[in-house]
Amino acid sequence: MEGAHEKLLHLTFEEAEGTDTSENAKTSRLQSSKFILWLQIFIFTFFALAGQAVGTLLGRVYYEQGGQSRWIATLVQTAGFPILLPIICYPSATNHNERQLSIHQPSIFVRASVYIFLGLFQVANSMLYTVGVQYLPASTYSLISGSQLAFNALTSFLLNGQKITPLILNSVVLLSFSSSVIMFQNESSDSGEVSQASLLIGFAATTMGSLGYALQFSLTELAFQKVFKSGSLKVVMKMSFFIGLFVTLTSTAGLFASGNWKDLGKEMGEYRSGKLAYVMNLVFTAISWQMYAVGSIGLVFKASSLFSNVIINLGSSVVPIFAMVFLKDKMSGLKVFSLLLGLWGYASYIYQHYLDDLEAKAGAETKESSVEDDDFEASLIQGT
């Protein structure tokens, strides 16, 4: 009997060693997948911040050098979509899980409907923001548009199941304030009397635009959750490509319908830096904003709509640094304060992710330990 117990214990310890090896391999794969995930998030963050900064600065240069067409400035924000065509058309190797998901992909009609719907949302939101800029003083516009992140926290909570912790709430408040704190600097530059009707129209349009963009981000995340279930990054490129295509076609139709296209030759000829500089500015602006689009949609895909909005608001605080370096802008105390608030808010959000990872890891280890103890006790009972 004792020999049987010794043999059983020996076999149990061998099984435990094998289990340890298997668990080590599983832990290694988990750590590797987490590293890849955070690497992808870092790349998308770089795309979003770099694209936002370069696109904003080139847009300023366009107006400073004599550019005047708002339709062209709007058009180049999505006209860079063709650069994604080689990535979309390139065949990629897919694993078994992705092949299984691709089988259950919705029809072309459903996917096209999502692209058109999100594209329409983007066009409507851009128009609302344009009306807001036209009717509101710059300081008031900055304050209201800074509420987009707060709206997105609400829509993410309602539509995407986003958990709102004290740290995330702190991040939302800080980043929302950092993007609008510059209003105090612009207050004195707002000249002229604005009628009550104009203020009301501008306030309503900007508020609806902020809520619309927040809802657009949450609906994009919902589309990834419910419609585009593939784990491939190509789905990000496709969404960015088709939304860009649809919005570009709409903006082009507006350019021709307004008759603004007739003045483009004159605008190019009067551009202070020359015709080549005019064309290069538009080309690189389009590429920059396309990088931004891929980065922001990629962050929604790999993290969440709220995370993507956090990065965008952080970018609003970082852009003045690049303007100081490349356009010789003055770096005022308010801009530094805005940047520090943005970095603080971003750090709060990242720290919340760190705590979530620790909690998930501790829960997984506790569960594995409990399962191993139950298996060991079951083996002893069976042996007895």
Side-chain angles (χ1 to χ4, degrees), residues 36-278:
I36 294 173
L37 173 63
W38 279 104
L39 179 62
Q40 291 171 341
I41 289 176
F42 173 80
I43 293 172
F44 284 132
T45 299
F46 173 77
F47 279 6
L49 292 177
Q52 183 180 11
V54 176
T56 302
L57 297 186
L58 288 177
R60 276 192 53 186
V61 171
Y62 168 77
Y63 284 113
E64 288 176 357
Q65 294 298 313
Q68 298 177 350
S69 174
R70 287 188 177 181
W71 278 110
I72 286 294
T74 303
L75 182 63
V76 295
Q77 292 185 24
T78 55
F81 71 91
I83 65 175
L84 300 177
L85 196 57
I87 302 175
I88 293 174
C89 296
Y90 184 79
S92 59
T94 56
N95 57 33
H96 177 72
N97 291 334
E98 290 182 358
R99 282 195 295 270
Q100 289 294 110
L101 287 172
S102 65
I103 294 174
H104 301 288
Q105 281 292 303
S107 65
I108 294 177
F109 175 77
V110 173
R111 284 176 282 172
S113 299
V114 172
Y115 295 141
I116 293 173
F117 178 76
L118 292 175
L120 279 172
F121 237 84
Q122 185 166 328
V123 171
N125 295 330
S126 297
M127 288 182 177
L128 287 169
Y129 269 157
T130 301
V131 172
V133 170
Q134 182 178 357
Y135 285 100
L136 286 180
S139 59
T140 308
Y141 173 80
S142 298
L143 179 63
I144 299 173
S145 60
S147 64
Q148 178 183 326
L149 183 59
F151 281 135
N152 187 229
L154 177 62
T155 56
S156 295
F157 174 76
L158 295 175
L159 297 179
N160 311 123
Q162 173 71 50
K163 183 172 64 174
I164 305 297
T165 66
L167 279 173
I168 289 182
L169 185 60
N170 177 65
S171 174
V172 168
V173 171
L174 289 174
L175 283 161
S176 297
F177 188 62
S178 73
S179 64
S180 57
V181 71
I182 206 66
M183 65 170 279
F184 296 109
Q185 178 169 293
N186 292 337
E187 192 70 42
S188 60
S189 65
D190 294 333
S191 58
E193 293 294 328
V194 183
S195 68
Q196 193 69 26
S198 296
L199 283 173
L200 185 60
I201 293 172
F203 177 83
T206 308
T207 303
M208 291 299 295
S210 297
L211 179 58
Y213 267 116
L215 189 58
Q216 180 183 341
F217 273 84
S218 292
L219 289 174
T220 301
E221 183 177 356
L222 194 65
F224 283 134
Q225 293 171 341
K226 304 297 184 181
V227 181
F228 306 100
K229 299 179 181 180
S230 170
S232 171
L233 290 176
K234 187 174 284 189
V235 70
V236 175
M237 305 301 174
K238 286 183 178 179
M239 178 170 285
S240 182
F241 177 87
F242 287 112
I243 291 178
L245 171 62
F246 181 78
V247 177
T248 300
L249 291 176
T250 306
S251 300
T252 304
L255 176 67
F256 281 93
S258 65
N260 192 240
W261 63 275
K262 298 176 182 178
D263 301 325
L264 295 183
K266 179 182 177 182
E267 180 177 285
M268 185 184 298
E270 295 177 353
Y271 198 72
R272 297 188 185 96
S273 301
K275 294 182 178 180
L276 179 61
Y278 179 85

